[in-house]
Amino acid sequence: MIYFCSAEEMMKIKKYLMYMSGVALSPVLLLTGAHAQEEVKLDEVVISTTKNDQKQSQTGKVVTIIGPEVLSRSHGRNLTDLLNEQAGIVVSGASGNLGLNKSVFVRGASGAYAVILIDGVLVSSPVGNGSAFDLRMFSIDQIDHIEILKGGQSTIYGSDAVSGVINIITKKGKKAGNSVYGVGSYGSYESFKGTVGMSSQVKDFSYNIAYTQAKTDGISEAALPAGQQTPFEKDGNKTAAVNANFSLQASKQLSINPFIRYSYGHYDFDANAFEDHLENNYKLKYFNGGVNAQYEHATGKLTLNYGYENASTDQQSQYGSSISQGSTQLIDFYINQGIGQHVKLLAGLDNRSTSFRLNAAVPPSTNLFSTYGSVFLHDLGMFNLEVGGRYNKHKQYGENSTYNITPSIQVLRSLKLYGTISTAFKAPTLENLFGEFGANLDLKPETSRNYEAGVNLSFVNDQYTLRLAGFKRDLRDAIVYGNIGFINQASQQAEGFELEPAAKFGKIRVNGYYAYVDGTEFNYITNEVSDYLVRKAKHVFGLNAGLQLTEKLYVSSAFKYNGKRKDGDFNAYAVVDLPAYQLLDFYTEYALFGRRLKVFADLKNIFNEKYTEFYGYSSMGFNMNAGISFNIR
C-alpha cells in the first residue's frame, strides 16, 4: 500500500486509528454487529420490491432492508459503502479512489447481473457493454431506505435480474410545512461534499428537491514502479447531482408522482497499473425523468411506471478519444388484484426501447417487450407460495421465457423455512449487438437456472435472529469477448451460502455475516472457463456494531474481511493470486437542538500490506470525513 506521508505521520495515523477502533469495538468485543442494518420485527416490514407489498414474513425470498435509521447515520459515507457491508455483496473498487468505477458483485455475479431500481423504476446505463447503473451518480443523502432481493428475479423484473435486485427508495416530502435540510463534509485527500434540499407537503401536494456537489483530489491509482521516487499525479473527480420528486394526490384513489434526476461526473484516471497519464479523464452526464402513477380501489391497485434515461460519455485516454450517447424508455404497467383474504394476483406489461449513437445514418436500437404474472398465496395456515412466469419478445434474438416458484413455511413464529426455483436472463446489450468492437447480431440471451433454500430463526421476541441461505446458479450462453468478438459461451456456475446472525442488547445492535461462494467463470486472460470466480473471494465475513451511548451520542463500527482471490495481470497476461484484505470503518455522530443539527465523523482504513505488489494499484488507505447535517422546519 502506498501512502504519501512521512513515517512519523504514518505512525500517528495508525495509533489514532487503533484508538478510535478500540472505542467503537470495546462495547461488543465478543459479539460485534450492525450499523449496516437495524433489526425490526418481520411482520412490520412491507417489501414493495416484490410488486405485491408483501410483509417480509410472507415471502420466501431472501430480503435485506437498510432502513431510514441507518441512512440517517451514514452522513459522510456513500452508497457503495453501505452495500459493501451486506452479506453476499462485494463492491469492487470500494477501497480505491473515490472516482474509481464501483461494480456490485451479488453472490459472485458481476455487476451487470443485478438490477438497480429507484423508487421501483428500473435504471440502467444506455451506453457501455454491461448496461449496469453507475452507483457513483446517486447521493446517499437522498435515500430513505434500500430493499435488496437476492437470487434470480427476472420473472418480475426481466432482463439482468440474474443475481438480485436493489431498490433505492428516495426521500419524499412527508410532513406539513416547509423543511430545509443539508449536509456538508470535508475529509482526507481534500475531499468535499455538500447537499442542500427542500421538502414540503401542502394538502394533497408534496415535493422533495435537492442538489449535491462533491469533489476530491484523490490519489494516483497506479502504483509506483520499483525504484521510482517521484509520486504520480493525483487523480481526482468532481460530481454534481439534482434529485427532484413530486407527489399529487389527485383523488382519494389516484396519486401521480413525477421525478427528475440529473447527474454529472468528471473522473481522472491513470494509464495502467504502473503508468501515469496526465490527460486521461472520463466525463459522464446522465438524465432520468418520468412518472409513477397509482390507482387504488377496494380490492387492488393499478400501477404505471414510465422512465426515460439519456446518458453521454466522453473518455480521453492514451489510446485516443471515445464519445458515446444512448437513451432508454421504459413503460411498466401492472395490476394487483386481491381475491379473498389469502390470494393476490399480479399481471403486467413491460416495454423497453434502447438506442445509442454510432457513425451510422440510423442509430442502432433494440426493443424488449414482456408480459408477466404471479399468484401469491398468503397465510394459508403456516404456508405461503408465489408462482409466476414471464414471456419476452426481443427485436433481435426473438423469444424466451422465465418462471419462479417460491414457497415458505412459518413452522413456528420463531422458525421459517423457504426456498426458490427460478430462471432468469440477461439480454444482449446494444454494445454487444452493434458496438464498434466485436459486435454480433446472432447473440442469444444469457439464461440461468437458480436454486435457493434457507431458514430464519428468531428467539426472545426477535432479540436474537439467525438467517442461513444456500444457493446455486447455473448460467448458460454467457456473453463473453472471445478471439473473434462477442460470443455465447457454454456455461458458468456459482454456488454458496450466507450466514447472518444478529442480536440486540439494550442500546447495542449487533450483527455479523459470513458468505461463501465458488464456481466457474470465463477468464479473459486464458480465454477459457476457469474453475474459480475471477476477482471474487470464496470467503467473506463481516462484523458490525452500533451503540446509542447517550440520547445524543451514537457510535458504530464495521469490519469486513475479503479473502484471497484470483485476477488477471494484463501486463504479463498471467493469472495472479491477490492477497486477502480487511476494511475497518468507524462512525460517530452527536445530535444538537433536538436532532435538528448533527455533527459526525467517519474514519476508514484498508489493511493489505501486499496490495500493490500483486495488483499494481494503490488504495485509499486511511480516510477520514467529518461534517454537519441540519434539518430546519
Side-chain angles (χ1 to χ4, degrees), residues 9-53:
E9 290 172 329
M10 176 56 64
M11 185 59 67
K12 289 181 179 179
I13 289 174
K14 287 184 175 180
K15 287 182 178 180
Y16 182 66
L17 180 65
M18 292 175 65
Y19 170 75
M20 297 301 284
S21 303
V23 171
L25 296 172
S26 59
V28 283
L29 186 58
L30 298 178
L31 272 172
T32 320
H35 82 111
Q37 302 171 29
E38 293 287 342
E39 296 302 319
V40 291
K41 293 183 179 180
L42 292 180
D43 288 341
E44 297 175 351
V45 181
V46 176
I47 310 302
S48 63
T49 311
T50 61
K51 292 188 177 180
N52 188 43
D53 293 343

Side-chain angles (χ1 to χ4, degrees), residues 3 6 172 190 250 307 317 363 451 497 501 533 562 619 622:
Y3 298 93
S6 67
K172 308 294 191 302
E190 300 294 322
S317 73
Y451 305 92
F497 67 90
L533 297 176
N562 279 56
S619 66
F622 177 82

Side-chain angles (χ1 to χ4, degrees), residues 32 55 115 117 132 176 189 200 253 273 284 287 305 315 344 354 365 369 379 391 429 451 466 485 532-533 568 579:
T32 320
K55 295 179 182 179
V115 162
L117 312 172
Y189 313 103
S200 179
Q253 294 82 22
L284 171 62
F287 172 82
N305 289 324
Q315 179 171 302
K344 288 186 178 181
T354 305
S365 65
F369 172 79
D379 303 320
Y391 165 79
T429 66
Y451 305 92
L466 176 67
Y532 53 82
L533 297 176

Side-chain angles (χ1 to χ4, degrees), residues 90-107:
V90 175
V91 179
S92 175
S95 61
N97 210 4
L98 296 177
L100 184 66
N101 187 33
K102 315 297 182 185
S103 298
V104 179
F105 298 160
V106 180
R107 290 182 166 177

Side-chain angles (χ1 to χ4, degrees), residues 247-430:
S247 180
L248 174 64
Q249 194 69 42
S251 69
K252 186 176 180 180
Q253 294 82 22
L254 177 64
S255 65
I256 303 173
N257 312 290
F259 60 86
I260 297 174
R261 305 182 188 102
Y262 176 79
S263 304
Y264 169 81
H266 180 124
Y267 309 99
D268 296 330
F269 61 92
D270 291 302
N272 290 299
F274 296 97
E275 182 182 353
D276 192 14
H277 197 281
L278 300 180
E279 303 301 324
N280 285 8
N281 67 83
Y282 177 81
K283 298 176 184 177
L284 171 62
K285 296 179 181 179
Y286 174 81
F287 172 82
N288 179 212
V291 64
N292 160 267
Q294 295 183 347
Y295 181 84
E296 297 189 36
H297 55 89
T299 58
K301 178 171 63 174
L302 284 73
T303 301
L304 171 67
N305 289 324
Y306 170 76
Y308 172 78
E309 297 176 283
N310 186 282
S312 62
T313 63
D314 182 355
Q315 179 171 302
Q316 306 294 327
S317 73
Q318 67 268 35
Y319 304 109
S321 63
S322 175
I323 298 176
S324 300
Q325 182 178 357
S327 62
T328 297
Q329 292 193 69
L330 164 74
I331 298 177
D332 185 16
F333 175 74
Y334 57 93
I335 301 171
N336 292 101
Q337 180 63 52
I339 302 177
Q341 187 177 356
H342 302 291
V343 180
K344 288 186 178 181
L345 302 179
L346 169 69
L349 302 173
D350 180 325
N351 192 79
R352 308 175 191 184
S353 299
T354 305
S355 65
F356 78 146
R357 295 196 175 278
L358 283 174
N359 297 322
V362 179
S365 65
T366 189
N367 191 84
L368 178 61
F369 172 79
S370 306
T371 62
Y372 59 92
S374 292
V375 178
F376 302 87
L377 305 179
H378 288 159
D379 303 320
L380 297 177
M382 59 182 182
F383 186 69
N384 299 280
L385 176 67
E386 176 187 344
V387 179
R390 186 183 189 100
Y391 165 79
N392 308 283
K393 177 70 174 180
H394 191 271
K395 182 179 179 181
Q396 273 75 33
Y397 70 70
E399 303 174 344
N400 72 302
S401 60
T402 65
Y403 68 86
N404 80 281
I405 304 171
T406 305
S408 66
I409 303 174
Q410 196 76 41
V411 180
L412 302 168
R413 186 187 180 280
S414 60
L415 174 61
K416 175 183 172 182
L417 306 176
Y418 56 88
T420 295
I421 300 175
S422 67
T423 56
F425 78 102
K426 176 174 174 55
T429 66
L430 283 174

Side-chain angles (χ1 to χ4, degrees), residues 17-159:
L17 180 65
M18 292 175 65
Y19 170 75
M20 297 301 284
S21 303
V23 171
L25 296 172
S26 59
V28 283
L29 186 58
L30 298 178
L31 272 172
T32 320
H35 82 111
Q37 302 171 29
E38 293 287 342
E39 296 302 319
V40 291
K41 293 183 179 180
L42 292 180
D43 288 341
E44 297 175 351
V45 181
V46 176
I47 310 302
S48 63
T49 311
T50 61
K51 292 188 177 180
N52 188 43
D53 293 343
Q54 293 174 286
K55 295 179 182 179
Q56 190 169 4
S57 59
Q58 294 174 328
T59 179
K61 296 180 178 180
V62 178
V63 181
T64 298
I65 306 295
I66 306 176
E69 299 85 357
V70 177
L71 273 301
S72 66
R73 293 169 173 169
S74 299
H75 300 303
R77 311 178 75 220
N78 56 57
L79 176 57
T80 54
D81 287 336
L82 286 185
L83 295 177
N84 199 42
E85 293 173 2
Q86 310 307 313
I89 297 180
V90 175
V91 179
S92 175
S95 61
N97 210 4
L98 296 177
L100 184 66
N101 187 33
K102 315 297 182 185
S103 298
V104 179
F105 298 160
V106 180
R107 290 182 166 177
S110 298
Y113 295 97
V115 162
I116 305 297
L117 312 172
I118 299 180
D119 292 330
V121 182
L122 176 74
V123 290
S124 60
S125 173
V127 294
N129 180 31
S131 75
F133 179 71
D134 191 339
L135 291 172
R136 297 173 298 180
M137 305 299 287
F138 204 85
S139 171
I140 196 172
D141 304 315
Q142 289 304 297
I143 302 174
D144 180 77
H145 66 282
I146 302 170
E147 299 175 356
I148 302 171
L149 270 64
K150 297 174 188 171
Q153 307 294 335
S154 281
T155 295
I156 293 181
Y157 285 104
S159 179

